[in-house]
């Protein structure tokens, strides 16, 4: 083929397509040329062409039926196939909570954030209601579910035994014996408050010789149950002796019964561990796990319950052997080929348990935030947060879950993480058996009852009565001439030795100072004030103290010893000071060195010569170890393993060591008993002291454990020691709180509402127990309202009185609230001096002037004693005033006492300005009132002898002095009070302080509403209403019932829950920030936030505002470190060289401020519930940046004063955050950010920071 020659034109090729620019100009500038104005071409119609063959093809729907095989139960021979319906057709992990849904495609044991959780146990059963047909199909039992009485009729038709012939007359019914003379015992037992002993004696006649066949019985068929009633033969003469029923003396036994601690509730039962289980091996002949020792009684009781798949709560002392119950549950699930999850409060404890269980059970897995080991194992060990994530994400592992073991469940008291335990317990499915292990706590039954209630399954509480190894507690007084300066203060029987305590006090006094003398020359044994005799010890004194103490312990064979030092810095200092102490032999030194070097092989060469590593090796060679959060994780594990092998003789540790596995010592020493908890310096609480002291005493090795408290500067007070050693541990209390992540997750699911979660929390357990009572009270109020007479005769007056009631009630409640706040202000407290004239309203004492006599206050309430005038008086011959004594007439019924709010309302009639004036001379009374009863505080004070007035009043309350004349001091106070009352009525001589000014700045809205209500009350005028009080009584009674009804309905609703107001505020914030829409449907931002384990709002905003996208991976890691670093540093952060990082830091701070301002605008967060948006901490930003850039760990340690362990913890948590951000970037399709997150995670995940745990790598000491 010959190619055509190209043609070139001077003006270009000819136009083939119209000019786009010209078309666009015509479109915008000449709208009249658009085709829409040509009506003939404005609409086109395409006729539909039918295609019946298209109906032959359709999308496949889920199969609604399946074939079920029927076999011969004896031979197994196939009989037939039967077609049965498939329930939950089309259900999947993305739309259903049912266990019958199709398995999720994900392979991860943690599940997926897009999945629905499985239906928690204790929630309303939705399995009978199809999620697609809304439960329109219902199976009817045509034998038992049919009506026997037609609607609208009082009775139905009773048939003859043949089943179809109706009974027509009384002759068809069998004659029933008369049973009016005696009452069934069950009926007697239902009487609430009184026990009729004579009737019970009659009933007991029916139980005499009950099993003798010779005695005749009469059987009565009633409600298809055989009730046996024995005839009682009583002679006519005996009937005269028996008193009439109305005159039978009644003994109220319940009033004199001794009070005992409950051992059983509806959903919990305390097991008596003192009862031996003699037939244990008969009940469990083939145990799932054999133990090489004889089990304790409490262990046998727990194992019996576990075998029956009953929930158990084991609260035992330290080292009692709680882990035995956990091991048996794991073995039992292995036999059943199911799964067990063992949860621990901290990651380090998970690693230790993995090593221990791996030695006993081979099939064990470990799941942490950054890696998984054998995630398909029979036993999975994880932290409680991981299990919560699995439950929310609908993990398929939940299907096979048989047991969940909660170790250290008393960790629910932790303020930061305690709520996680509550969430997990609520979310666990019904088929899971719960095994809870805890230290001894006082309210085990209450906590177990809550768990049993929410799971609708009984919990058995098993507690130990005493420690297996008793403890003896001593005070150590240094620098004394005594050979052994230890003073016993608490013996093995937990009896406080006061003699030993006072000897310790005397030994603490310097020898040059004589003993203090009290009155009469008697010696005073009270301990000196803290720090008065000795000052802080010097370096040499501290060293000498420890050297002498350790030498005495070694001489007394009290090693090994754990020295609990409640400060990381002091741990390091104490260990460094003991350079001359060496506890190990040459053979032990060789073992320690070999094991240490073997463990260091896992580290790179530069990390093996870190200062902390070198120092720890030198200390361990001498048998001394250090254990606290500032130590590198691998070094802490080395110390723990050597301590378990008794190669570490002295261990300086902080409180966290007591949370570990069973690592007991012979002796425990307290360097101090005061700690700083982040807010204040305080003495150790009983639970904290018991947890640490419980590490003393090795079971099977020591007869007793020794606990020593070092008294460096003074001796603790006797009261403080008793409270700490003998006080009850802290009760388990709810720390439940609403997180944004939980709200978004539950709003996405819908069928498990946030309100359901709140109502089942431990915080609301008390309300849940009162549900039946509230329901009963509501029915009573409804019936009383129905019995109320009609108020139609009052006409419009009823509406006016009802309106007055509403306004007055609101005013009184608001006034009471504000008054309680004002009375605690320092300026107001200073004015409350004896003799101050007050205006009060207390019960029937309405708008009365009163003299303040005394004021007392405690942590619960404040009480004021006041003297008031009243009308109830009589006069004796001398004219002295005395109280009128009423003659008790039991035949005359006193009118019911009106509630206090009635009198307050009566005082508001006419604007509430009138002051009470007694008739004639008047009487008086001394009242105890609260802050809400004080209406005004005047500027007037009267000088009176308060003590004599109170003594005079108290004396005349005794019956023998009731008619005694009023004392001189009291009479003078009454005369002054009466004079001031008349003077104020006539000339308004009293000036009342404006006490609300003290709180007006912080309660301006309430203050303005109070003023508005007060003015509105003045508009009501009932002065012309005849017999107003009598007519208002009927209105008041009805309104009070209506108010009580509304209160009961409110108590039944979700709005009465403690956290419901906070929930509403957080929902508004989520709507404001576009995480959910107006219908509470989760939007894109909400789905991103769900993937975050913490800081969900902050990280979501950073991702969706593209603040991180333009940064380099190292810069992203540095910025996000501000969210996970929780330590403190005195090193001033340097300005980083990267300009982009400085800009990003500023944007992060602005984002945090916006979120915090948004919370403040909705009043989210207060003193008890801090803001959900945590403060940023950029203390390690430079360190993390350099680490991500590849610097060695030794070099970054020179940039900060933060300890190595804290830095490692920060970077490990940062790795979890980076993975969350990566998942979020994947969801929104930001591939650039996803790639950078991957690079940042790889950059920080290296060297000693992410060294493998010795427990998981199989490392062991020789």
């Amino acid at each position: 083929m010959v190619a055509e020659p190209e043609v070139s034109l001077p003006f270009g090729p000819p136009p083939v397509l119209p000019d786009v620019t010209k078309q666009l100009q015509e479109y915008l500038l000449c709208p009249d040329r658009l085709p829409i104005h040509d009506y003939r071409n404005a609409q086109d119609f395409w006729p539909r062409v039918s295609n019946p063959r298209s109906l032959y093809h359709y999308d496949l729907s889920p199969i609604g039926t399946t074939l079920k095989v029927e076999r011969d139960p004896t031979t197994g021979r196939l009989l037939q196939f039967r077609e049965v319906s498939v329930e939950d057709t089309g259900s999947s992990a993305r739309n259903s909570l049912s266990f019958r849904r199709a398995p999720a495609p994900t392979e991860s044991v943690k599940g997926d954030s897009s999945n629905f959780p499985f239906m928690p146990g204790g929630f309303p059963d939705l399995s009978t209601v199809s999620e697609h047909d809304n439960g329109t199909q219902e199976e009817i039992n045509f034998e038992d579910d049919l009506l026997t009485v037609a609607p609208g009729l009082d009775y139905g038709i009773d048939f003859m035994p043949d089943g179809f012939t109706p009974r027509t007359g009384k002759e068809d019914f069998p004659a029933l014996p008369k049973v009016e003379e005696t009452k069934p015992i069950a009926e007697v037992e239902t009487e609430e408050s009184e026990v009729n002993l004579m009737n019970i004696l009659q009933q007991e006649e029916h139980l005499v010789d009950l099993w003798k066949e010779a005695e005749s019985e009469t059987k009565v068929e009633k409600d298809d149950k055989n009730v046996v009633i024995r005839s009682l033969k009583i002679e006519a003469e005996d009937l005269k002796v028996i008193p009439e029923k109305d005159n039978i003396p009644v003994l109220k036994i319940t009033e004199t019964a001794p009070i005992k601690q409950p051992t059983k509730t509806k959903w919990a039962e305390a097991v008596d561990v003192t009862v031996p289980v003699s037939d244990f091996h008969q009940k469990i002949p083939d145990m799932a796990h054999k133990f090489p020792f004889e089990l304790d009684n409490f262990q046998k009781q727990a194992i019996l319950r576990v075998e029956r798949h009953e929930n158990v709560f084991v609260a035992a002392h330290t080292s009692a052997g709680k882990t035995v119950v956990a091991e048996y549950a794991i073995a039992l699930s292995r036999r059943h080929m199911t799964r067990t999850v063992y949860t621990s409060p901290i990651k380090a404890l998970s690693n230790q348990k993995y090593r221990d269980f791996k030695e006993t059970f081979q099939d064990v897995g470990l799941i942490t935030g950054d890696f998984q080991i054998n995630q398909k194992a029979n036993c999975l060990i994880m932290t409680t947060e991981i299990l919560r994530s699995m439950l929310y994400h609908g993990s398929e592992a939940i299907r096979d879950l048989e047991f969940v073991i909660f170790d250290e469940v008393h960790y629910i008291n932790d303020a930061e993480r305690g709520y996680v335990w509550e969430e997990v317990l609520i979310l666990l499915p019904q088929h899971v058996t719960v095994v809870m292990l805890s230290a001894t706590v006082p309210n085990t039954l209450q906590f177990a009852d809550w768990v049993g209630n929410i799971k609708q399954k009984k919990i058995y509480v098993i507690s130990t009565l005493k420690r297996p190894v008793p403890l003896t507690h001593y005070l150590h007084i240094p620098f004394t001439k005594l050979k052994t300066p230890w003073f016993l203060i608490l013996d093995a029987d937990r009896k406080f030795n006061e003699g030993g305590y006072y000897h310790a006090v005397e030994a603490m006094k310097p020898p040059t100072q004589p003993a203090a003398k009290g009155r009469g020359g008697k010696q005073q044994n009270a301990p000196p004030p803290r720090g008065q005799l000795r000052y802080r010890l010097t370096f040499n004194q501290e060293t000498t103290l420890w050297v002498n103490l350790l030498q005495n312990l070694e001489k007394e064979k009290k090693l090994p010893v754990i020295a609990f030092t409640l400060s990381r810095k002091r741990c390091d200092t104490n260990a460094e000071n003991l350079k001359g102490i060496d506890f190990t032999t040459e053979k032990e030194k060789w073992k320690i060195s070999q094991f240490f070097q073997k463990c260091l092989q896992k580290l790179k060469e530069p990390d093996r010569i870190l200062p902390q590593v070198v120092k720890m090796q030198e200390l361990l060679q001498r048998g001394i170890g250090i254990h606290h959060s500032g130590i590198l994780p691998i070094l802490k594990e080395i110390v723990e393993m050597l301590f378990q092998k008794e190669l570490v003789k002295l261990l300086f540790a902080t409180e966290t060591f007591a949370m570990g596995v069973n690592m007991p010592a012979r002796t425990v020493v307290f360097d101090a008993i005061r700690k700083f908890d982040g807010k204040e310096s305080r003495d150790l609480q009983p639970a904290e002291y018991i947890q640490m002291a419980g590490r003393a005493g090795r079971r099977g090795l020591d007869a007793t454990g020794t606990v020593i408290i070092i008294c460096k500067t003074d001796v603790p007070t006797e009261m403080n020691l008793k409270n700490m050693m003998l006080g009850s541990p802290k009760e388990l209390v709810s720390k439940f709180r609403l997180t944004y992540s939980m709200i978004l997750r539950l709003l996405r699911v819908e069928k498990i509402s946030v309100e359901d979660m709140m109502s089942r929390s431990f915080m609301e357990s008390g309300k849940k127990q009162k549900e039946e009572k509230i329901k009963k009270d509501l029915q009573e109020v409804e019936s009383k309202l129905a019995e109320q007479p009609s108020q139609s005769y009052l006409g419009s007056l009823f509406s006016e009185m009802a309106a007055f009631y509403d306004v007055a009630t609101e005013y009184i409640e608001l006034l009471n609230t504000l008054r309680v706040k004002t009375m605690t202000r320092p300026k107001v407290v200073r004015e409350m001096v004896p003799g101050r004239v007050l205006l009060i309203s207390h019960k029937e004492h309405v708008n009365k002037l009163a003299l303040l006599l005394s004021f007392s206050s405690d942590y619960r309430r404040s009480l004021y004693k006041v003297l008031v005038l009243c009308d109830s008086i009589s006069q004796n011959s001398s004219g002295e005033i005395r109280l009128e004594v009423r003659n008790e007439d039991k035949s005359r019924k006193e009118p019911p006492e009106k509630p206090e709010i009635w009198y307050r309302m009566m005082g508001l009639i006419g604007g509430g300005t009138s002051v009470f004036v007694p008739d004639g001379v008047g009487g008086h009374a001394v009242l105890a009132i609260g802050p809400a009863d004080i209406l005004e505080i005047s500027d007037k004070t009267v000088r009176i002898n308060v003590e004599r007035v109170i003594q005079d009043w108290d004396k005349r309350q005794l019956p023998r002095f009731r008619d005694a004349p009023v004392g001189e001091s009291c009479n003078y106070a009454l005369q002054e009070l009466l004079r001031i009352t008349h003077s104020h009525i006539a000339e308004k001589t009293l000036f009342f302080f404006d006490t609300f000014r003290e709180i007006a700045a912080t309660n301006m809205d309430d203050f303005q509403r109070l003023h508005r209500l007060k003015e509105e009350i003045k508009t009501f005028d009932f002065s012309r209403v005849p017999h107003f009080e009598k007519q208002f009584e009927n209105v008041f009674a009805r309104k009070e019932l209506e108010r009580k009804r509304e209160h009961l309905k409110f108590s039944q609703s979700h709005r009465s829950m403690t956290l419901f107001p906070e929930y509403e505020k957080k929902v508004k914030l989520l709507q404001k920030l576009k995480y959910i829409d107006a219908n509470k449907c989760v939007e894109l931002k909400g789905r991103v936030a769900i993937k975050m384990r913490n800081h969900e709002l902050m990280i979501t905003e950073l991702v969706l505002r593209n603040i991180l996208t333009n940064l380099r991976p190292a810069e992203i890691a540095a910025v996000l470190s501000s969210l996970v670093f929780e330590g403190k540093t005195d090193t001033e952060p340097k300005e980083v060289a990267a300009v982009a990082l400085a800009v990003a830091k500023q944007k992060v701070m602005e984002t945090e401020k916006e979120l915090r301002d948004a919370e403040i605008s909705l009043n989210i967060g207060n003193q008890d519930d801090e803001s959900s948006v945590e403060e940023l901490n950029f203390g390690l930003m430079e360190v993390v940046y350099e680490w991500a850039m590849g610097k060695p760990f030794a070099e970054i340690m020179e940039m900060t004063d933060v300890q190595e362990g804290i830095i490692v913890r920060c970077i490990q948590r940062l790795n979890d955050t980076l993975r969350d951000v990566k998942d979020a970037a994947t969801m929104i399709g930001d591939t650039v950010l996803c790639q950078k997150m991957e690079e940042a995670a790889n950059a920080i995940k290296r060297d000693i920071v992410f060294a493998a745990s010795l427990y998981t790598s199989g490392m062991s000491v020789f």
Side-chain angles (χ1 to χ4, degrees), residues 1104-1168:
L1104 296 180
R1105 294 185 185 188
N1106 290 327
I1107 295 177
L1108 305 176
T1109 307
N1110 298 326
L1111 300 177
R1112 293 183 298 170
E1115 295 170 347
I1116 295 174
V1119 169
L1120 293 181
S1121 69
S1122 63
L1123 299 175
V1124 295
F1125 177 49
E1126 297 177 347
K1128 295 181 179 180
T1129 175
D1130 296 329
T1131 305
E1132 291 293 333
K1134 299 179 182 179
E1135 292 296 332
V1136 293
V1139 178
L1141 183 56
V1143 175
K1145 175 183 175 182
Q1146 184 62 33
K1147 290 183 178 180
V1148 170
M1149 295 174 65
E1150 292 174 357
T1151 304
E1152 186 263 349
K1153 186 177 183 303
E1154 289 181 20
L1155 293 176
R1156 191 174 298 278
D1157 291 342
E1159 286 191 330
I1160 293 175
S1161 65
L1162 293 172
N1163 197 25
I1164 298 176
N1166 49 49
Q1167 295 179 354
D1168 298 326

Side-chain angles (χ1 to χ4, degrees), residues 696-711:
R698 298 164 298 178
R699 191 170 186 179
L701 297 176
D702 304 325
T704 59
T706 304
V707 182
I708 298 174
I709 299 174
I710 300 177
C711 302

Side-chain angles (χ1 to χ4, degrees), residues 1128-1250:
K1128 295 181 179 180
T1129 175
D1130 296 329
T1131 305
E1132 291 293 333
K1134 299 179 182 179
E1135 292 296 332
V1136 293
V1139 178
L1141 183 56
V1143 175
K1145 175 183 175 182
Q1146 184 62 33
K1147 290 183 178 180
V1148 170
M1149 295 174 65
E1150 292 174 357
T1151 304
E1152 186 263 349
K1153 186 177 183 303
E1154 289 181 20
L1155 293 176
R1156 191 174 298 278
D1157 291 342
E1159 286 191 330
I1160 293 175
S1161 65
L1162 293 172
N1163 197 25
I1164 298 176
N1166 49 49
Q1167 295 179 354
D1168 298 326
D1169 176 30
E1170 297 179 357
S1171 174
S1172 301
V1173 181
E1174 299 179 9
E1175 294 184 1
L1176 303 176
N1177 190 341
F1178 292 95
L1180 284 184
M1181 186 174 72
E1182 181 186 6
V1183 173
V1184 173
Y1185 176 76
E1186 296 297 340
W1187 174 255
M1189 292 298 292
K1191 274 194 175 184
F1193 193 80
E1195 293 186 22
I1196 68 170
M1197 283 304 304
E1198 298 175 357
M1199 302 169 58
T1200 180
D1201 59 347
V1202 179
Q1203 292 182 311
E1204 291 86 340
I1206 305 297
I1207 295 177
V1208 170
R1209 173 62 177 156
C1210 173
I1211 297 177
Q1212 288 178 347
R1213 292 185 61 191
L1214 176 61
N1215 181 63
D1216 297 338
T1217 302
L1218 292 176
R1219 290 192 295 108
D1220 290 344
V1221 177
K1222 177 187 173 183
D1223 294 341
T1226 303
M1227 171 180 285
I1228 64 177
D1230 191 342
T1231 56
V1232 176
L1233 181 60
C1234 181
Q1235 180 65 27
K1236 289 184 177 181
M1237 289 299 105
E1238 184 71 25
E1239 295 177 8
N1242 294 334
I1244 66 172
K1245 196 172 182 179
R1246 59 183 174 87
D1247 301 347
I1248 195 172
V1249 175
F1250 286 88

Side-chain angles (χ1 to χ4, degrees), residues 346-471:
I346 53 179
K347 179 181 175 181
L349 183 56
S350 297
N351 294 335
Q352 295 167 2
K353 285 297 183 182
Y354 172 79
R355 193 273 308 267
D356 295 343
F357 289 156
K358 185 73 173 176
E359 295 176 355
T360 307
F361 313 100
Q362 297 301 316
D363 193 16
V364 179
L366 175 66
I367 301 178
T368 62
D370 50 354
F371 71 98
Q372 296 86 34
I373 301 176
N374 192 14
Q375 61 179 354
K376 294 185 178 181
N378 161 262
C379 174
L380 294 176
I381 301 173
M382 63 189 71
T383 60
T384 315
E385 282 83 358
I386 298 293
L387 178 57
R388 178 185 62 166
S389 178
M390 291 174 57
L391 291 169
Y392 273 123
H393 294 172
S395 170
E396 290 299 315
I398 304 299
R399 294 180 183 270
D400 305 327
L401 192 57
E402 183 177 8
F403 297 100
V404 171
I405 303 166
F406 293 94
D407 196 7
E408 308 287 351
V409 77
H410 57 269
Y411 212 84
I412 197 173
N413 279 345
D414 184 72
E416 296 296 327
R417 299 170 54 216
Y419 70 96
V420 178
W421 274 256
E422 294 190 51
E423 283 189 65
V424 171
L425 286 168
I426 295 172
L427 290 173
L428 281 176
Q430 189 67 36
H431 71 274
V432 177
T433 301
V434 177
V435 178
M436 296 180 289
L437 310 178
S438 167
T440 54
V441 289
N443 61 332
T444 51
L445 201 66
Q446 177 191 2
F447 183 78
D449 183 71
W450 165 69
V451 178
N453 192 4
I454 62 174
K455 309 315 293 182
Q456 295 293 293
K457 187 177 179 181
K458 201 163 197 176
I459 305 285
Y460 290 89
V461 180
I462 301 172
S463 304
T464 55
L465 303 179
K466 60 181 180 180
R467 283 179 50 87
V469 180
L471 301 179

Side-chain angles (χ1 to χ4, degrees), residues 263 269-275 301-302 305 445 459-463:
T263 59
E269 181 177 346
V271 179
D272 187 2
V273 295
T274 61
V275 178
Q301 295 278 15
R305 266 69 187 182
L445 201 66
I459 305 285
Y460 290 89
V461 180
I462 301 172
S463 304

Side-chain angles (χ1 to χ4, degrees), residues 161-387:
D162 57 9
F164 56 87
T165 304
R167 298 183 187 273
T168 57
K170 294 183 179 180
E171 66 278 4
D172 296 330
F173 294 89
L176 299 178
K178 294 184 179 181
V179 295
E180 297 178 357
E181 290 78 12
T182 60
K183 294 167 59 178
I185 296 177
E187 188 175 345
V188 176
E189 293 177 351
T190 59
E191 296 181 4
E192 297 181 355
S193 60
E194 296 184 352
V195 179
N196 193 324
L197 292 182
M198 184 60 69
N199 207 351
I200 288 180
L201 290 175
Q202 295 180 10
Q203 297 299 322
E204 288 179 351
E205 292 292 336
H206 298 284
L207 304 178
V208 176
D209 297 333
L210 182 62
W211 292 273
K212 289 186 178 180
E213 299 180 357
E215 188 172 346
S216 61
E217 354 179 295
T218 305
K219 296 185 179 181
V220 180
E221 292 185 4
K222 182 178 182 181
D223 296 334
D224 298 332
K225 295 181 180 179
N226 293 331
V227 182
V228 181
I229 301 179
R230 309 235 175 226
S231 59
L232 179 65
K233 299 181 179 180
I234 303 177
E235 298 296 335
E237 293 81 9
D238 296 333
L239 289 174
K240 298 179 182 180
V241 179
I242 299 176
E244 297 292 333
K245 182 177 180 180
D246 294 338
N247 297 327
I248 294 177
V250 175
L251 176 62
K252 297 183 179 181
I253 300 177
T254 56
E255 292 183 359
T256 58
I259 300 176
K260 295 182 179 180
Q261 292 293 334
T263 59
K264 186 177 181 180
T265 63
K266 183 178 180 181
W267 296 107
E269 181 177 346
V271 179
D272 187 2
V273 295
T274 61
V275 178
V277 187
S278 56
D279 57 346
F280 177 74
H281 293 288
Q282 285 75 22
K283 292 181 177 179
I284 312 178
D286 183 19
M287 294 184 64
H289 182 68
K290 302 291 193 303
F291 296 95
F293 51 85
E294 179 64 24
L295 297 176
D296 285 343
N297 201 45
F298 85 94
Q299 294 168 335
K300 293 179 180 179
Q301 295 278 15
I303 289 175
L304 284 174
R305 266 69 187 182
V306 170
E307 276 277 358
R308 302 172 192 162
H309 286 83
E310 295 172 340
N311 296 338
V312 295
F313 181 16
V314 181
H317 291 80
T318 306
S319 302
K322 300 185 290 290
T323 310
V324 167
V325 184
E327 290 178 349
Y328 193 84
I330 296 171
L332 196 60
S333 69
R334 290 186 62 196
R335 171 179 288 182
H336 298 161
M337 297 183 181
T338 56
R339 277 185 173 176
T340 297
V341 166
Y342 187 100
T343 69
S344 65
I346 53 179
K347 179 181 175 181
L349 183 56
S350 297
N351 294 335
Q352 295 167 2
K353 285 297 183 182
Y354 172 79
R355 193 273 308 267
D356 295 343
F357 289 156
K358 185 73 173 176
E359 295 176 355
T360 307
F361 313 100
Q362 297 301 316
D363 193 16
V364 179
L366 175 66
I367 301 178
T368 62
D370 50 354
F371 71 98
Q372 296 86 34
I373 301 176
N374 192 14
Q375 61 179 354
K376 294 185 178 181
N378 161 262
C379 174
L380 294 176
I381 301 173
M382 63 189 71
T383 60
T384 315
E385 282 83 358
I386 298 293
L387 178 57

